[in-house]
Amino acid sequence: MSRTLHAEIEALHRSITKIAQRETARATKPEVERSPLDSKLGAAAAEGLDGLLARPTPVELRQRLEKIQKRLRARKPDAPRRDLGREILELIDPLGRSGWADELLSRSLEALPGVGPKRAEGFARRGFERISDLLFWLPTRYEDRRRLVDVSDLEVGRTATFVAEVKVVDWVATRRGGRFGKIFQAVVGDDEAIVTLKWFRGGEALAKQVVKGRRLLVSGEVRRYRFSKELIHPEIEVLSETSAAPARQRDLGRVVPIYSAPEGMNPRTLRRLIGQSVDAYAELCVGHLPETLVRERKLPSVPASLRALHRPDSDIDVDQYEAFASPAHERLVLEELYLLELGLAMRRAQGASRPGVAVDAARPESRTAAKALPFRLTDAQRRCVGEILGDLARPHPMNRLLQGDVGSGKTVVAILAAVAVAACGGQTALMAPTELLAEQHFRTLNKLLTVAGEGMRLRIGLLTASLPRAEIKTLRGRLATGEVDLVVGTHALVQGEVVFQNLVLSIVDEQHRFGVTQRAALSAARPDGRYPHGLVMTATPIPRSLAMTVYGELDLSVIDELPPGRKPIETILLRAGEGQRVMDLIRETLGRNEQVYVVYPLVEESEKLDLRSAIESSERIAQAFPGHRVDLVHGRLDAAERQRAMRRFERGETSILVATTVIEVGVDVSGATLMVIEHAERFGLAQLHQLRGRVGRGGERGYCVMVARGGSEKSEARLSAMIRTQDGFEIADADLEIRGPGDFLGTRQSGHLPELRIADLLRDSRLVSLARDVARHEIEADPRLSRAPATRRAVRNRWGKRIDWTAVG
Ligand code: ADP
Ligand code: MG
């Protein structure tokens, strides 16, 4: 097959359209003469049709081609007919439309011979809605049937393929689980040994094939049965009497693809359907990778790859195939990643081409403010501030992620950016995930401003839903008139009609806590049609290879260094029953005049229960340490009360703060050195790491006590990772390993990326960067993919509403 199916259809479409047009023309206008061209076209079309009909094609396409062939044959050169011309034109026309192949590939499984509407519906419910779903459902394993063993060499516990003759067949009545049934069984063997095959179902059909004296090719797992061996539901193939014939011989040594079948689907049926669809439809699939890349890496075509994987040759390297590392795998993985990265690149380009508000970053205010801080910025902080100011100076919106471990000092970086913005008369909004955190940011800011004095001029405000209405109203007024440079708040910032005089920078803290829509709302267009700069901050590091895709449209700044002088935190794991140790540690801490957090998980299903245990615990602790003040904060307290409690703790008036996880993110109290985490087994690894990051922020050593009360293998793995390392990136790697990539990513991408069917961001991380480079390059050259309409369509299918297609034109 030298030409692709698509090329042949295109050629055919051209010649047949001309024929049909001439047929119509000659039928209506006698002056149009027959010409030698007519017979030439006719011959070309006939040849093209024959060629196409000789190929395996979908039934629907085949029928259409056959109809055309019939009409062409019905033509009489001397008596042209207008209706015939029109009929042919109608038949050929759809094949000239772009996307005809996509349409066929999107057909329901009903389009396959032998699949009725009912079954098709059943398949659709299990995720096989379209033919293409079958094509791209790749085998997870390959069974090697190339090596035939002798029956006498069968080993219990192994899969084996062997040839044997049927010696005896019979039906055995059974009672399993109180139900009567009949087992069909066959004793098969060769000259030296025998083995039993059993089928609990489907025996009636098999009995016709498995007949005494026949030779079978048998494949399956060998099990022990009393003193002999047996195979339950093996795969069999009846060999003809003369199985030495070469044609059959070749069939023997096959590698058979094994698919994981969704619940309620027979794996063999699935394999058969996939085989059918590969035969008829694989040829319709086109690749989208740039031709140069395909040539460079010597990649097989998409149809060839599909055939290679679903209908493997008998000489494949099974290990390579199972590792998804064959050239065919590489092609399909790259194709998928390319569409993913194209979408990301488009989204990125979309944002980057929007009008923004350029800030004069050369002004000195931000530098002066940095000097006025009570500490020196780390090199990493300085670099990140530089990267952000660089973005702010451009007339297009920034779209940047600031990643840094707990305590690495992200807030200061954000504030310095706000100072630069304020110096040019712009406003900054900083959105935090909880009221507590917003309040805390606000207090930190106030403190910093006091310390920095003249060096840092910033008018700040706080906006959360639970503030008194009058306060909210006043603040809104000041935002609208531009009397506030930096407003800190919760999602209340994007609810209701908060009007800014000149919003230039939107910052989102701990972005994984927010829905995509909330983030989007904060970076929505301003009334003048320009877009504010966007910065998202996260303390939950993820491995770089994943970050590239999960945050694919963001630029990345990383604070990879902690402020100097931080002592490592001592992490201690205690079990239920070691409560006395906890009390001792608290006593020691209080004795050093340092403060203590005690954190309780708050799981929604048992919210009341957990709240009660937090309350009880605070009472118990208060009794045990009569000279000290104990406070309790939780999500049900109203804002003012919570704020007062936090302030007391911050000022050191409270020694012990018992809290539900509301303190998890970002709280910063430098006098606190002991963190007790109750029911540590219930927390995720990232949460544990965050909580631990709350202590030891001043000069003193911090302690983190995790009290585990039961738990699973996974929770043990989390706790031991906490003991092993304090590095956020290592924690992230461990988290990934414990949870597996699907789950790990699932919670982070929360539907803002399309699902991957073949590629795996971890396994294929090398190909991810390749796909990304190629995709970015392509989008720079052709932002709307107008030169590759089929690819554009494919991206659109994949991404759907996740990309604003009106903006892409
Ligand atoms: P996070 O990155 O977790 O949000 P913060 O911004 O809350 O970290 O900073 C943690 C603590 O470190 C704060 O008390 C902050 O004032 C302090 N800090 C930030 N940068 C430095 C620095 N360069 N040197 C010393 N302390 C710093
Ligand atoms: Mg923070």
Side-chain angles (χ1 to χ4, degrees):
M1 277 178 253
S2 50
R3 279 209 294 187
T4 64
L5 182 68
H6 284 267
E8 293 207 9
I9 294 272
E10 205 183 305
L12 188 77
H13 176 261
R14 239 179 293 123
S15 60
I16 289 185
T17 305
K18 269 202 207 109
I19 292 174
Q21 281 165 349
R22 284 195 58 86
E23 179 87 6
T24 319
R26 286 180 51 227
T28 40
K29 298 198 201 102
E31 66 274 17
V32 181
E33 301 247 332
R34 252 182 96 186
S35 83
L37 179 70
D38 288 328
S39 51
K40 235 187 176 164
L41 278 172
E47 196 185 319
L49 274 171
D50 286 344
L52 278 168
L53 286 169
R55 297 168 87 132
T57 46
V59 180
E60 206 179 316
L61 178 60
R62 165 168 302 269
Q63 284 169 349
R64 182 178 294 275
L65 295 174
E66 278 165 357
K67 276 188 198 153
I68 293 174
Q69 192 176 47
K70 210 169 110 203
R71 304 274 185 308
L72 285 181
R73 285 182 181 153
R75 238 163 21 112
K76 295 204 187 72
D78 294 324
R81 279 163 45 200
R82 195 171 152 184
D83 57 333
L84 191 66
R86 200 172 46 226
E87 273 174 38
I88 296 177
L89 213 52
E90 270 165 22
L91 281 167
I92 195 69
D93 198 41
L95 296 182
R97 272 184 242 143
S98 59
W100 63 268
D102 291 347
E103 263 172 50
L104 287 178
L105 288 166
S106 323
R107 289 278 194 273
S108 118
L109 270 51
E110 222 183 310
L112 294 175
V115 179
K118 255 232 186 87
R119 284 225 295 164
E121 211 187 287
F123 295 137
R125 257 185 281 118
R126 292 178 173 81
F128 296 96
E129 248 172 292
R130 319 162 210 223
I131 302 277
S132 58
D133 295 332
L134 286 173
L135 291 177
F136 292 95
W137 187 260
L138 299 188
T140 48
R141 238 166 33 74
Y142 289 88
E143 203 169 282
D144 201 340
R145 295 189 187 168
R146 288 174 296 197
R147 216 168 309 129
L148 297 182
V149 298
D150 288 333
V151 180
S152 55
D153 290 337
L154 292 179
E155 278 179 54
V156 172
R158 293 217 150 181
T159 357
T161 305
F162 55 93
V163 175
E165 192 186 300
V166 181
K167 311 274 190 196
V168 185
V169 296
D170 62 0
W171 291 92
V172 183
T174 56
R175 234 183 95 180
R176 290 206 311 170
R179 272 191 305 167
F180 290 96
K182 269 195 321 183
I183 303 178
F184 178 64
Q185 64 178 35
V187 176
V188 303
D190 53 24
D191 298 340
E192 286 166 33
I194 53 162
V195 63
T196 309
L197 315 180
K198 284 183 185 166
W199 287 271
F200 295 102
R201 299 180 300 275
E204 289 78 9
L206 277 161
K208 292 190 196 110
Q209 298 178 50
V210 181
V211 175
K212 184 171 181 248
R214 287 229 177 122
R215 275 158 53 78
L216 303 179
L217 179 68
V218 185
S219 195
E221 196 191 320
V222 183
R223 306 199 198 181
R224 179 173 309 287
Y225 180 68
R226 298 199 181 144
F227 297 107
S228 58
K229 293 168 196 163
E230 65 174 20
L231 285 87
I232 312 280
H233 291 195
E235 291 215 15
I236 58 153
E237 207 172 297
V238 179
L239 302 177
S240 60
E241 314 303 311
T242 53
S243 68
R248 297 303 303 181
Q249 204 68 354
R250 225 182 304 131
D251 257 14
L252 288 182
R254 276 185 309 153
V255 176
V256 180
I258 307 292
Y259 300 90
S260 65
E263 184 81 30
M265 208 164 168
N266 181 339
R268 278 177 227 185
T269 310
L270 181 60
R271 181 158 80 210
R272 187 169 49 75
L273 290 177
I274 290 177
Q276 274 180 20
S277 57
V278 170
D279 293 344
Y281 288 84
E283 209 61 41
L284 299 184
C285 299
V286 290
H288 301 286
L289 293 177
E291 214 30 62
T292 45
L293 180 70
V294 171
R295 264 201 308 274
E296 241 167 57
R297 299 185 74 90
K298 300 200 177 61
L299 297 172
S301 71
V302 173
S305 303
L306 289 171
R307 279 193 302 267
L309 300 181
H310 291 296
R311 297 249 187 244
D313 281 345
S314 61
D315 59 354
I316 66 160
D317 174 348
V318 169
D319 288 339
Q320 188 197 42
Y321 268 54
E322 291 191 343
F324 272 60
S326 71
H329 282 105
E330 182 172 322
R331 172 74 198 237
L332 298 185
V333 165
L334 270 175
E335 284 287 341
E336 183 168 49
L337 290 175
Y338 183 57
L339 293 185
L340 175 78
E341 296 292 342
L342 278 175
L344 286 169
M346 284 173 108
R347 226 159 52 170
R348 195 177 124 91
Q350 231 171 58
S353 64
R354 287 174 169 161
V357 188
V359 166
D360 180 5
R363 291 179 63 103
E365 281 83 350
S366 181
R367 245 169 302 137
T368 313
K371 284 203 196 99
L373 290 171
F375 44 73
R376 269 174 59 89
L377 292 183
T378 61
D379 289 344
Q381 283 172 316
R382 214 184 314 273
R383 174 171 40 77
C384 291
V385 172
E387 284 164 0
I388 292 167
L389 292 188
D391 281 0
L392 292 177
R394 298 179 56 236
H396 298 290
M398 164 169 77
N399 203 8
R400 188 170 281 279
L401 177 73
L402 178 61
Q403 204 180 75
D405 209 345
V406 241
S408 60
K410 293 181 291 295
T411 317
V412 182
V413 172
I415 291 170
L416 293 177
V419 170
V421 167
C424 300
Q427 291 171 301
T428 298
L430 169 57
M431 184 160 77
T434 63
E435 298 203 340
L436 201 76
L437 190 53
E439 290 152 11
Q440 141 106 28
H441 271 317
F442 184 66
R443 279 195 307 278
T444 310
L445 267 168
N446 267 321
K447 253 193 322 205
L448 263 183
L449 288 173
T450 319
V451 175
E454 283 302 303
M456 196 189 285
R457 310 204 127 271
L458 211 54
R459 294 166 299 172
I460 61 175
L462 174 69
L463 184 66
T464 65
S466 52
L467 287 175
R469 289 182 67 111
E471 248 176 75
I472 295 179
K473 212 172 144 210
T474 316
L475 183 78
R476 280 195 185 167
R478 292 172 59 216
L479 281 173
T481 53
E483 289 163 71
V484 170
D485 301 314
L486 170 61
V487 62
V488 182
T490 52
H491 50 268
L493 282 174
V494 296
Q495 283 162 352
E497 49 288 350
V498 179
V499 178
F500 290 89
Q501 193 221 16
N502 183 20
L503 180 66
V504 171
L505 173 61
S506 293
I507 304 175
V508 178
D509 197 12
E510 303 301 345
Q511 66 95 31
H512 65 282
R513 290 298 194 94
F514 289 100
V516 176
T517 39
Q518 283 169 326
R519 243 192 296 155
L522 198 56
S523 55
R526 310 168 357 140
D528 66 358
R530 294 190 290 171
Y531 288 80
H533 295 285
L535 178 70
V536 294
M537 307 199 287
T538 175
T540 316
I542 68 173
R544 252 167 217 271
S545 58
L546 292 184
M548 279 193 336
T549 300
V550 176
Y551 302 122
E553 75 260 45
L554 303 177
D555 294 307
L556 195 59
S557 287
V558 183
I559 309 185
D560 47 11
E561 149 185 35
L562 292 180
R566 294 268 166 87
K567 299 197 182 89
I569 297 161
E570 190 159 325
T571 308
I572 302 163
L573 177 57
L574 296 179
R575 304 284 168 181
E578 297 187 272
Q580 195 48 50
R581 279 281 314 273
V582 177
M583 287 303 194
D584 291 346
L585 280 160
I586 294 179
R587 181 167 300 113
E588 286 165 26
T589 309
L590 296 178
R592 289 192 303 267
N593 245 336
E594 292 161 9
Q595 292 161 283
V596 180
Y597 290 107
V598 180
V599 173
Y600 275 81
L602 197 56
V603 197
E604 247 157 75
E605 309 94 67
S606 57
E607 194 177 336
K608 275 199 194 121
L609 206 108
D610 288 312
L611 188 54
R612 204 172 60 221
S613 52
I615 293 170
E616 279 168 12
S617 150
S618 69
E619 284 165 359
R620 215 173 38 244
I621 293 171
Q623 271 169 13
F625 304 102
H628 294 272
R629 182 165 180 151
V630 179
D631 256 338
L632 175 67
V633 282
H634 54 80
R636 297 237 181 126
L637 286 185
D638 74 47
E641 228 176 303
R642 210 165 48 209
Q643 225 176 39
R644 278 197 295 275
M646 287 312 292
R647 230 173 249 156
R648 281 194 297 270
F649 191 61
E650 233 174 343
R651 286 199 293 257
E653 296 165 17
T654 324
S655 309
I656 303 171
L657 185 69
V658 181
T660 57
T661 45
V662 282
I663 70 151
E664 182 209 324
V665 261
V667 177
D668 185 28
V669 178
S670 58
T673 59
L674 175 61
M675 166 69 66
V676 179
I677 307 173
E678 277 289 342
H679 282 291
E681 77 283 355
R682 291 211 216 149
F683 290 87
L685 193 45
Q687 279 180 315
L688 290 172
H689 179 63
Q690 289 273 345
L691 285 171
R692 176 167 59 186
R694 299 301 116 212
V695 292
R697 300 188 137 218
E700 315 308 324
R701 176 180 286 278
Y703 295 84
C704 174
V705 177
M706 305 183 292
V707 185
R709 305 185 182 278
S712 62
E713 209 173 295
K714 284 194 173 184
S715 69
E716 285 302 315
R718 291 195 292 268
L719 298 174
S720 76
M722 283 290 289
I723 302 279
R724 202 168 57 236
T725 179
Q726 292 190 21
D727 178 288
F729 280 93
E730 278 177 37
I731 292 276
D733 282 340
D735 200 13
L736 182 61
E737 204 174 295
I738 295 166
R739 289 163 64 176
D743 184 30
F744 183 89
L745 285 173
T747 56
R748 279 174 178 78
Q749 33 186 72
S750 55
H752 88 127
L753 290 183
E755 218 178 301
L756 292 172
R757 292 190 292 197
I758 298 175
D760 177 319
L761 293 178
L762 273 185
R763 184 194 60 209
D764 304 316
S765 60
R766 241 173 0 94
L767 297 179
V768 173
S769 17
L770 175 66
R772 189 169 86 133
D773 292 347
V774 177
R776 285 203 173 172
H777 193 78
E778 197 64 27
I779 293 300
E780 266 162 39
D782 182 10
R784 288 149 195 240
L785 288 175
S786 26
R787 276 183 259 144
T791 306
R792 186 185 153 94
R793 256 200 324 276
V795 176
R796 199 171 176 149
N797 275 341
R798 263 310 159 86
W799 280 81
K801 289 204 195 87
R802 298 182 189 94
I803 291 182
D804 179 4
W805 292 93
T806 54
V808 188

